[in-house]
Amino acid sequence: QVQPVESGGGSAQAGGSLRLSCVVSGSALSTYCMGWFRQAPGKEREGVAWIYPTSGATFYADSAKGRFTISRDNAKNTLYLQMDSLKPDDTAMYYCAAGTRRTYCSTDKYNDWGQGTQVTVSS
């Protein structure tokens, strides 16, 4: 199994930035779809950004497009989510997860989840 470990969450002012990190065991970053997800209190978990293992192509939810950037460093087995222009609505627990395939990442099954890292954005 893949066991992601997230870090980098914290508090930020609206308009500020945070960078989340996710360390993944083995060669998951180059093998499986990887995604960042978030869940706010009282809301369903939603996908934020995805990266394809072979091409490195990225895909974003509309809420994140233009503000968030997903990237990876395969040598460090680390996935990143750079979050800029933060909004209070970005407040949520953020999770890193590994999928099961190499394509259609935004609709992949994600079974291996990290413990989450809290992001709080104040106005």
Side-chain angles (χ1 to χ4, degrees), residues 2 13 28 30 38-40 46-47 58 63 65 67 75-76 92-93 95 111 122:
V2 178
Q13 296 290 322
S30 59
R38 68 186 183 187
Q39 186 169 27
E46 62 177 345
T58 59
S63 61
K65 192 173 300 181
R67 300 189 299 123
K76 297 181 179 179
M93 185 72 74
Y95 300 89
N111 299 315
S122 59

Side-chain angles (χ1 to χ4, degrees), residues 28-88:
L29 291 179
S30 59
T31 304
Y32 309 109
C33 292
M34 297 294 300
W36 283 99
F37 301 79
R38 68 186 183 187
Q39 186 169 27
K43 296 184 178 180
E44 296 181 337
R45 180 176 287 173
E46 62 177 345
V48 176
W50 299 263
I51 188 166
Y52 289 73
T54 54
S55 69
T58 59
F59 183 78
Y60 299 91
D62 287 342
S63 61
K65 192 173 300 181
R67 300 189 299 123
F68 293 3
T69 303
I70 186 172
S71 62
R72 68 188 183 193
D73 186 334
N74 288 352
K76 297 181 179 179
N77 292 327
T78 302
L79 182 73
Y80 301 98
L81 183 67
Q82 177 68 42
M83 303 187 294
D84 298 317
S85 301
L86 285 165
K87 304 175 180 179

